[in-house]
């Protein structure tokens, strides 16, 4: 018997949800798995995607790239799934060995995502690898600086730190929008504006009302 083609009426394709829905359902599954291990939970990655898209709009990227970035950015911490148990969920500052292990979530995430050839997953791999690189060269895993860091990763770096500051963690309370903005734009000894692309910080400033209103 000839198997029905994917496109035939009543074939597999007819029973599949539209691609957007299928994609989102697949992501939900990945988020659910990732959030089992990650105390940040499933909402942080989604908000990072939303905020990165607003910043992308502010620096002049077209809507199709904003959408691509929102989806890709939501996978930035997926490598945390592959970390050994016990590295995540610390209630205190990590010791150097635990910190070194934690930093591997960048390389591990890229290693997962780079296997998928779809362009948005390739972008997600780049973001996973480089979202902790810093404009001043003090980041990881490589220590790239300035425009050697891909723009997508520079956008996600700001979105990620902003959202992390606004979120409750096992070791700290959430801050309000004004406190988070002050720490990003003025620095506090641990986080400082030198680590971010000045053009992206400027975008954050210009679009702060919209970013503050992202649902949480
Ligand atoms: Fe991360
Ligand atoms: Fe994150």
């Amino acid at each position: 018997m000839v198997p029905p083609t994917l496109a035939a009426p009543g074939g597999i394709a007819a029973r599949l949800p539209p691609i957007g829905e299928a994609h989102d359902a697949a992501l939900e599954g990945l988020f659910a798995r990732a959030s089992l291990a990650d105390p940040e939970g499933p909402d942080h990655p989604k908000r990072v995607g939303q905020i990165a898209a607003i910043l992308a709009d502010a620096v002049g990227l077209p809507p199709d790239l904003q959408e691509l970035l929102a989806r890709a950015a939501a996978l930035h911490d997926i490598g945390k799934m592959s970390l050994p148990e016990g590295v995540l969920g610390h209630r205190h500052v990590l010791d150097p060995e635990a910190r070194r292990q934690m930093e591997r979530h960048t390389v591990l995430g890229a290693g997962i995502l780079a296997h998928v050839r779809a362009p948005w997953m390739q972008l997600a791999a780049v973001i996973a690898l480089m979202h902790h690189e810093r404009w001043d060269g003090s980041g990881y895993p490589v220590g790239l600086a300035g425009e050697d860091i891909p723009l997508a990763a520079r956008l996600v770096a700001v979105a990620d730190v902003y959202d992390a500051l606004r979120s409750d963690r096992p070791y700290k309370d959430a801050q309000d929008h004004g406190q988070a903005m002050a720490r990003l734009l003025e620095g506090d000894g641990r986080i400082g504006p030198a680590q971010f692309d000045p053009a992206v910080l400027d975008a954050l400033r210009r679009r702060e009302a919209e970013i503050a209103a992202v649902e949480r």
Side-chain angles (χ1 to χ4, degrees):
M1 196 184 95
V2 180
T5 67
L6 277 178
I12 293 171
R15 298 197 298 272
L16 288 176
I19 188 66
E21 270 175 52
H23 172 114
D24 292 343
L27 279 186
E28 289 301 327
L30 270 177
F31 288 144
R33 173 60 187 85
S35 64
L36 284 180
D38 189 351
E40 292 187 325
D43 296 333
H44 165 73
K46 290 184 215 168
R47 281 194 308 263
V48 168
Q50 286 174 275
I51 295 167
I54 295 169
L55 296 172
D57 185 37
V59 300
L61 293 179
D64 56 334
L65 290 186
Q66 295 166 30
E67 167 78 19
L68 196 71
L69 184 68
R71 293 188 165 212
L75 294 169
H76 68 280
D77 277 334
I78 207 78
K80 288 183 180 176
M81 282 197 308
S82 303
L83 291 175
E85 267 186 53
V87 174
L88 295 166
H90 276 260
R91 288 170 192 284
H92 48 77
V93 176
L94 296 175
D95 64 45
E97 171 56 19
R99 169 152 300 283
R100 198 187 58 77
Q101 294 257 26
M102 171 65 126
E103 291 180 355
R104 293 190 64 234
H105 79 276
T106 51
V107 178
L108 293 167
I112 295 167
L113 298 166
H115 287 285
V116 187
R117 291 230 311 269
W120 78 275
M121 289 292 258
Q122 293 289 310
L123 180 64
V126 168
I127 291 169
L129 185 63
M130 302 197 186
H131 68 282
H132 289 288
E133 296 289 358
R134 294 177 169 186
W135 186 255
D136 62 8
S138 67
Y140 62 85
V142 176
L144 295 178
E147 292 186 355
D148 286 344
I149 306 165
L151 176 59
R154 285 181 262 144
L155 292 162
V156 172
V158 171
D160 187 28
V161 173
Y162 171 85
D163 193 74
L165 289 170
R166 299 275 338 256
S167 305
D168 275 322
R169 293 284 183 272
Y171 49 87
K172 70 162 189 73
D173 293 329
Q175 302 195 329
D176 67 24
H177 171 73
Q179 290 170 317
M181 290 295 286
R183 289 182 71 184
L184 280 159
L185 298 173
E186 288 150 37
D188 67 354
R190 198 175 67 82
I191 296 164
Q195 74 189 61
F196 303 108
D197 179 347
V200 180
L201 285 184
D202 187 53
L204 177 74
R205 219 179 269 119
R206 283 186 283 121
R207 301 294 281 272
E208 67 167 309
E210 214 176 313
I211 289 166
V214 168
E215 201 181 319
R216 55 179 58 248

